[in-house]
Every structure is written in structure tokens, then in C-alpha cells.
mmCIF file of all heavy atoms in Angstrom:
data_model
loop_
_atom_site.group_PDB
_atom_site.id
_atom_site.type_symbol
_atom_site.label_atom_id
_atom_site.label_comp_id
_atom_site.label_asym_id
_atom_site.label_seq_id
_atom_site.Cartn_x
_atom_site.Cartn_y
_atom_site.Cartn_z
ATOM 1 N N ASP A 1 20.368 0.863 -2.677
ATOM 2 C CA ASP A 1 20.872 2.173 -2.276
ATOM 3 C C ASP A 1 19.764 3.228 -2.250
ATOM 4 O O ASP A 1 19.687 4.046 -1.325
ATOM 5 C CB ASP A 1 21.999 2.620 -3.212
ATOM 6 C CG ASP A 1 23.217 1.710 -3.132
ATOM 7 O OD1 ASP A 1 23.430 1.140 -2.048
ATOM 8 O OD2 ASP A 1 23.915 1.552 -4.140
ATOM 9 N N TYR A 2 18.917 3.221 -3.283
ATOM 10 C CA TYR A 2 17.828 4.195 -3.368
ATOM 11 C C TYR A 2 16.498 3.474 -3.132
ATOM 12 O O TYR A 2 15.604 3.455 -3.987
ATOM 13 C CB TYR A 2 17.844 4.879 -4.736
ATOM 14 C CG TYR A 2 19.136 5.621 -5.021
ATOM 15 C CD1 TYR A 2 20.175 5.014 -5.720
ATOM 16 C CD2 TYR A 2 19.323 6.919 -4.569
ATOM 17 C CE1 TYR A 2 21.369 5.695 -5.964
ATOM 18 C CE2 TYR A 2 20.507 7.604 -4.818
ATOM 19 C CZ TYR A 2 21.522 6.984 -5.513
ATOM 20 O OH TYR A 2 22.692 7.663 -5.746
ATOM 21 N N TRP A 3 16.378 2.908 -1.952
ATOM 22 C CA TRP A 3 15.245 2.062 -1.611
ATOM 23 C C TRP A 3 13.901 2.800 -1.691
ATOM 24 O O TRP A 3 12.870 2.195 -1.952
ATOM 25 C CB TRP A 3 15.420 1.497 -0.195
ATOM 26 C CG TRP A 3 15.654 2.566 0.839
ATOM 27 C CD1 TRP A 3 16.854 3.048 1.256
ATOM 28 C CD2 TRP A 3 14.642 3.307 1.552
ATOM 29 N NE1 TRP A 3 16.682 4.035 2.196
ATOM 30 C CE2 TRP A 3 15.333 4.222 2.399
ATOM 31 C CE3 TRP A 3 13.260 3.285 1.574
ATOM 32 C CZ2 TRP A 3 14.658 5.109 3.247
ATOM 33 C CZ3 TRP A 3 12.582 4.162 2.409
ATOM 34 C CH2 TRP A 3 13.282 5.061 3.235
ATOM 35 N N TRP A 4 13.918 4.109 -1.432
ATOM 36 C CA TRP A 4 12.667 4.867 -1.385
ATOM 37 C C TRP A 4 11.965 4.943 -2.742
ATOM 38 O O TRP A 4 10.763 5.139 -2.805
ATOM 39 C CB TRP A 4 12.929 6.278 -0.848
ATOM 40 C CG TRP A 4 13.965 7.051 -1.611
ATOM 41 C CD1 TRP A 4 13.764 7.848 -2.706
ATOM 42 C CD2 TRP A 4 15.373 7.084 -1.339
ATOM 43 N NE1 TRP A 4 14.950 8.380 -3.139
ATOM 44 C CE2 TRP A 4 15.963 7.931 -2.311
ATOM 45 C CE3 TRP A 4 16.195 6.504 -0.375
ATOM 46 C CZ2 TRP A 4 17.322 8.198 -2.343
ATOM 47 C CZ3 TRP A 4 17.555 6.772 -0.403
ATOM 48 C CH2 TRP A 4 18.102 7.611 -1.383
ATOM 49 N N MET A 5 12.717 4.779 -3.826
ATOM 50 C CA MET A 5 12.103 4.831 -5.155
ATOM 51 C C MET A 5 11.129 3.674 -5.364
ATOM 52 O O MET A 5 10.150 3.804 -6.105
ATOM 53 C CB MET A 5 13.186 4.793 -6.240
ATOM 54 C CG MET A 5 14.106 5.978 -6.248
ATOM 55 S SD MET A 5 15.254 5.893 -7.654
ATOM 56 C CE MET A 5 16.346 7.266 -7.272
ATOM 57 N N THR A 6 11.390 2.543 -4.717
ATOM 58 C CA THR A 6 10.527 1.372 -4.834
ATOM 59 C C THR A 6 9.591 1.221 -3.638
ATOM 60 O O THR A 6 8.429 0.842 -3.801
ATOM 61 C CB THR A 6 11.392 0.093 -4.957
ATOM 62 O OG1 THR A 6 12.178 0.179 -6.150
ATOM 63 C CG2 THR A 6 10.521 -1.150 -5.022
ATOM 64 N N ALA A 7 10.092 1.537 -2.462
ATOM 65 C CA ALA A 7 9.341 1.273 -1.228
ATOM 66 C C ALA A 7 8.033 2.056 -1.157
ATOM 67 O O ALA A 7 6.977 1.490 -0.842
ATOM 68 C CB ALA A 7 10.214 1.591 -0.011
ATOM 69 N N PHE A 8 8.075 3.344 -1.451
ATOM 70 C CA PHE A 8 6.880 4.160 -1.261
ATOM 71 C C PHE A 8 5.769 3.867 -2.288
ATOM 72 O O PHE A 8 4.588 3.809 -1.910
ATOM 73 C CB PHE A 8 7.252 5.640 -1.246
ATOM 74 C CG PHE A 8 8.002 6.040 -0.005
ATOM 75 C CD1 PHE A 8 9.320 6.461 -0.069
ATOM 76 C CD2 PHE A 8 7.392 5.971 1.237
ATOM 77 C CE1 PHE A 8 10.018 6.821 1.085
ATOM 78 C CE2 PHE A 8 8.075 6.328 2.390
ATOM 79 C CZ PHE A 8 9.396 6.746 2.319
ATOM 80 N N PRO A 9 6.082 3.659 -3.568
ATOM 81 C CA PRO A 9 5.012 3.224 -4.481
ATOM 82 C C PRO A 9 4.426 1.872 -4.094
ATOM 83 O O PRO A 9 3.212 1.654 -4.213
ATOM 84 C CB PRO A 9 5.703 3.167 -5.842
ATOM 85 C CG PRO A 9 6.848 4.103 -5.723
ATOM 86 C CD PRO A 9 7.314 3.983 -4.310
ATOM 87 N N ALA A 10 5.295 0.962 -3.597
ATOM 88 C CA ALA A 10 4.796 -0.348 -3.165
ATOM 89 C C ALA A 10 3.886 -0.207 -1.946
ATOM 90 O O ALA A 10 2.844 -0.869 -1.853
ATOM 91 C CB ALA A 10 5.966 -1.278 -2.848
ATOM 92 N N LEU A 11 4.263 0.654 -1.011
ATOM 93 C CA LEU A 11 3.431 0.884 0.165
ATOM 94 C C LEU A 11 2.096 1.524 -0.216
ATOM 95 O O LEU A 11 1.070 1.274 0.438
ATOM 96 C CB LEU A 11 4.167 1.768 1.173
ATOM 97 C CG LEU A 11 5.332 1.107 1.920
ATOM 98 C CD1 LEU A 11 6.061 2.132 2.785
ATOM 99 C CD2 LEU A 11 4.837 -0.048 2.779
ATOM 100 N N ALA A 12 2.097 2.331 -1.266
ATOM 101 C CA ALA A 12 0.847 2.939 -1.733
ATOM 102 C C ALA A 12 -0.115 1.858 -2.227
ATOM 103 O O ALA A 12 -1.334 1.932 -1.988
ATOM 104 C CB ALA A 12 1.132 3.947 -2.840
ATOM 105 N N ILE A 13 0.407 0.842 -2.919
ATOM 106 C CA ILE A 13 -0.435 -0.269 -3.379
ATOM 107 C C ILE A 13 -0.993 -1.025 -2.184
ATOM 108 O O ILE A 13 -2.195 -1.349 -2.134
ATOM 109 C CB ILE A 13 0.375 -1.212 -4.289
ATOM 110 C CG1 ILE A 13 0.810 -0.488 -5.567
ATOM 111 C CG2 ILE A 13 -0.448 -2.443 -4.639
ATOM 112 C CD1 ILE A 13 1.658 -1.336 -6.479
ATOM 113 N N VAL A 14 -0.131 -1.309 -1.198
ATOM 114 C CA VAL A 14 -0.587 -2.004 0.007
ATOM 115 C C VAL A 14 -1.665 -1.180 0.717
ATOM 116 O O VAL A 14 -2.670 -1.717 1.196
ATOM 117 C CB VAL A 14 0.602 -2.267 0.953
ATOM 118 C CG1 VAL A 14 0.118 -2.859 2.266
ATOM 119 C CG2 VAL A 14 1.616 -3.196 0.295
ATOM 120 N N PHE A 15 -1.466 0.127 0.772
ATOM 121 C CA PHE A 15 -2.394 1.042 1.429
ATOM 122 C C PHE A 15 -3.789 0.956 0.814
ATOM 123 O O PHE A 15 -4.791 0.760 1.512
ATOM 124 C CB PHE A 15 -1.836 2.468 1.322
ATOM 125 C CG PHE A 15 -2.715 3.541 1.892
ATOM 126 C CD1 PHE A 15 -2.772 3.755 3.259
ATOM 127 C CD2 PHE A 15 -3.472 4.356 1.063
ATOM 128 C CE1 PHE A 15 -3.572 4.762 3.794
ATOM 129 C CE2 PHE A 15 -4.278 5.360 1.578
ATOM 130 C CZ PHE A 15 -4.325 5.560 2.957
ATOM 131 N N VAL A 16 -3.860 1.049 -0.510
ATOM 132 C CA VAL A 16 -5.174 1.063 -1.163
ATOM 133 C C VAL A 16 -5.816 -0.328 -1.153
ATOM 134 O O VAL A 16 -7.038 -0.451 -1.008
ATOM 135 C CB VAL A 16 -5.045 1.626 -2.597
ATOM 136 C CG1 VAL A 16 -4.341 0.652 -3.518
ATOM 137 C CG2 VAL A 16 -6.406 1.988 -3.165
ATOM 138 N N ILE A 17 -5.021 -1.392 -1.264
ATOM 139 C CA ILE A 17 -5.572 -2.747 -1.222
ATOM 140 C C ILE A 17 -6.153 -3.043 0.162
ATOM 141 O O ILE A 17 -7.263 -3.581 0.287
ATOM 142 C CB ILE A 17 -4.504 -3.786 -1.600
ATOM 143 C CG1 ILE A 17 -4.180 -3.701 -3.093
ATOM 144 C CG2 ILE A 17 -4.974 -5.197 -1.256
ATOM 145 C CD1 ILE A 17 -3.093 -4.646 -3.533
ATOM 146 N N LEU A 18 -5.423 -2.678 1.211
ATOM 147 C CA LEU A 18 -5.937 -2.887 2.561
ATOM 148 C C LEU A 18 -7.233 -2.110 2.775
ATOM 149 O O LEU A 18 -8.184 -2.610 3.386
ATOM 150 C CB LEU A 18 -4.894 -2.456 3.597
ATOM 151 C CG LEU A 18 -3.752 -3.419 3.876
ATOM 152 C CD1 LEU A 18 -2.786 -2.820 4.893
ATOM 153 C CD2 LEU A 18 -4.273 -4.753 4.388
ATOM 154 N N GLY A 19 -7.259 -0.873 2.273
ATOM 155 C CA GLY A 19 -8.448 -0.045 2.435
ATOM 156 C C GLY A 19 -9.682 -0.694 1.824
ATOM 157 O O GLY A 19 -10.734 -0.797 2.474
ATOM 158 N N PHE A 20 -9.576 -1.152 0.602
ATOM 159 C CA PHE A 20 -10.740 -1.747 -0.062
ATOM 160 C C PHE A 20 -11.066 -3.135 0.491
ATOM 161 O O PHE A 20 -12.238 -3.538 0.492
ATOM 162 C CB PHE A 20 -10.513 -1.809 -1.568
ATOM 163 C CG PHE A 20 -10.801 -0.505 -2.262
ATOM 164 C CD1 PHE A 20 -9.773 0.342 -2.623
ATOM 165 C CD2 PHE A 20 -12.100 -0.110 -2.516
ATOM 166 C CE1 PHE A 20 -10.039 1.559 -3.246
ATOM 167 C CE2 PHE A 20 -12.373 1.093 -3.143
ATOM 168 C CZ PHE A 20 -11.342 1.935 -3.508
ATOM 169 N N ASN A 21 -10.063 -3.866 0.969
ATOM 170 C CA ASN A 21 -10.352 -5.157 1.594
ATOM 171 C C ASN A 21 -11.108 -4.975 2.909
ATOM 172 O O ASN A 21 -12.073 -5.696 3.194
ATOM 173 C CB ASN A 21 -9.060 -5.939 1.844
ATOM 174 C CG ASN A 21 -8.546 -6.606 0.588
ATOM 175 O OD1 ASN A 21 -9.208 -6.596 -0.448
ATOM 176 N ND2 ASN A 21 -7.369 -7.185 0.656
ATOM 177 N N PHE A 22 -10.667 -4.016 3.722
ATOM 178 C CA PHE A 22 -11.395 -3.718 4.958
ATOM 179 C C PHE A 22 -12.807 -3.228 4.654
ATOM 180 O O PHE A 22 -13.767 -3.594 5.335
ATOM 181 C CB PHE A 22 -10.645 -2.657 5.770
ATOM 182 C CG PHE A 22 -9.363 -3.138 6.386
ATOM 183 C CD1 PHE A 22 -8.357 -2.244 6.731
ATOM 184 C CD2 PHE A 22 -9.148 -4.482 6.622
ATOM 185 C CE1 PHE A 22 -7.169 -2.679 7.295
ATOM 186 C CE2 PHE A 22 -7.959 -4.939 7.182
ATOM 187 C CZ PHE A 22 -6.970 -4.036 7.519
ATOM 188 N N LEU A 23 -12.919 -2.391 3.619
ATOM 189 C CA LEU A 23 -14.245 -1.893 3.221
ATOM 190 C C LEU A 23 -15.134 -3.042 2.751
ATOM 191 O O LEU A 23 -16.331 -3.096 3.078
ATOM 192 C CB LEU A 23 -14.097 -0.851 2.121
ATOM 193 C CG LEU A 23 -15.403 -0.206 1.609
ATOM 194 C CD1 LEU A 23 -16.034 0.637 2.706
ATOM 195 C CD2 LEU A 23 -15.127 0.654 0.382
ATOM 196 N N GLY A 24 -14.564 -3.963 1.993
ATOM 197 C CA GLY A 24 -15.333 -5.112 1.518
ATOM 198 C C GLY A 24 -15.821 -5.989 2.661
ATOM 199 O O GLY A 24 -16.958 -6.477 2.639
ATOM 200 N N ASP A 25 -14.973 -6.180 3.683
ATOM 201 C CA ASP A 25 -15.409 -6.949 4.855
ATOM 202 C C ASP A 25 -16.568 -6.248 5.556
ATOM 203 O O ASP A 25 -17.512 -6.893 6.023
ATOM 204 C CB ASP A 25 -14.238 -7.120 5.832
ATOM 205 C CG ASP A 25 -13.179 -8.073 5.300
ATOM 206 O OD1 ASP A 25 -13.512 -8.886 4.412
ATOM 207 O OD2 ASP A 25 -12.028 -7.998 5.762
ATOM 208 N N GLY A 26 -16.491 -4.907 5.632
ATOM 209 C CA GLY A 26 -17.579 -4.159 6.254
ATOM 210 C C GLY A 26 -18.867 -4.255 5.469
ATOM 211 O O GLY A 26 -19.958 -4.384 6.044
ATOM 212 N N VAL A 27 -18.767 -4.199 4.141
ATOM 213 C CA VAL A 27 -19.957 -4.331 3.289
ATOM 214 C C VAL A 27 -20.574 -5.712 3.450
ATOM 215 O O VAL A 27 -21.803 -5.857 3.545
ATOM 216 C CB VAL A 27 -19.588 -4.065 1.812
ATOM 217 C CG1 VAL A 27 -20.750 -4.414 0.893
ATOM 218 C CG2 VAL A 27 -19.195 -2.612 1.612
ATOM 219 N N ARG A 28 -19.736 -6.724 3.524
ATOM 220 C CA ARG A 28 -20.262 -8.096 3.711
ATOM 221 C C ARG A 28 -21.003 -8.218 5.038
ATOM 222 O O ARG A 28 -22.110 -8.753 5.101
ATOM 223 C CB ARG A 28 -19.111 -9.092 3.654
ATOM 224 C CG ARG A 28 -19.540 -10.550 3.826
ATOM 225 C CD ARG A 28 -18.334 -11.442 3.979
ATOM 226 N NE ARG A 28 -17.547 -11.028 5.134
ATOM 227 C CZ ARG A 28 -16.245 -11.274 5.259
ATOM 228 N NH1 ARG A 28 -15.591 -11.904 4.313
ATOM 229 N NH2 ARG A 28 -15.592 -10.867 6.339
#
């Protein structure tokens, strides 16, 4: 019912993980 309480913090984790993974590929 209150999906936003879980969805947005989870998306924040995905956001930062993708950012550092893309950055790591660029560094490599």
C-alpha cells in the first residue's frame, strides 16, 4: 500500500551503485 517508503530508498542504493560501477569501468 505504501510502496514509496521502500521503493525510493532502494532506488537510491541502485543509483549510487550504478554510479560507482560506471566510474570503475571508466577508471579501468
Side-chain angles (χ1 to χ4, degrees):
D1 296 330
Y2 300 94
W3 54 268
W4 56 88
M5 296 185 188
T6 298
F8 289 114
L11 288 174
I13 296 178
V14 174
F15 177 78
V16 71
I17 289 177
L18 281 178
F20 278 100
N21 281 353
F22 290 157
L23 181 67
D25 289 339
V27 171
R28 180 189 59 205

